[in-house]
């Protein structure tokens, strides 16, 4: 969450899947990222760089595979 500041306000695991489509030893997680500003409504162009940074950090730190 700290990497997404100041735009990222909350991260939640909204789904956890461990079934036949996921290889043994792996899990399927869905993360919901909530972006906000106290000053105005954010645009997609403002959020996208932060979101891409967060995805890259997940890959780098945890070796996740994004789908």
């Amino acid at each position: 969450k700290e990497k997404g500041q100041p735009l990222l306000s909350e991260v939640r695991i909204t789904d956890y899947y461990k079934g036949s489509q996921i290889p043994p030893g792996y899990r399927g997680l869905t993360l919901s990222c909530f972006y906000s500003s106290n000053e105005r409504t954010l645009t997609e162009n403002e959020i996208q760089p932060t979101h891409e940074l967060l995805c890259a950090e997940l890959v780098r730190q945890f070796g996740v595979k994004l789908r």
Side-chain angles (χ1 to χ4, degrees), residues 50-64:
T50 300
H51 189 75
E52 288 174 2
L53 171 70
L54 294 174
C55 291
E57 280 295 309
L58 289 170
V59 170
R60 186 183 70 76
Q61 287 189 26
F62 304 106
V64 302

Side-chain angles (χ1 to χ4, degrees), residues 1 5 7 12 24 28 32 39 42 44 53 57 64 67:
K1 187 174 174 183
Q5 295 303 312
L7 301 180
R12 292 184 197 161
S32 292
E39 299 161 0
L42 298 172
E44 182 70 25
L53 171 70
E57 280 295 309
V64 302
R67 300 188 321 145

Side-chain angles (χ1 to χ4, degrees), residues 2-25:
E2 136 187 343
K3 294 281 185 182
Q5 295 303 312
L7 301 180
L8 183 66
S9 59
E10 187 176 349
V11 178
R12 292 184 197 161
I13 296 174
T14 55
D15 190 33
Y16 172 85
Y17 181 76
K18 190 175 180 183
S20 61
Q21 296 174 335
I22 305 295

Side-chain angles (χ1 to χ4, degrees), residues 3 10-11 15 25-27 36-37 41-43 49 52 56 65:
K3 294 281 185 182
E10 187 176 349
V11 178
D15 190 33
Y26 291 85
R27 294 172 197 90
S36 65
S37 170
T41 300
L42 298 172
T43 67
E52 288 174 2
K65 291 185 179 181

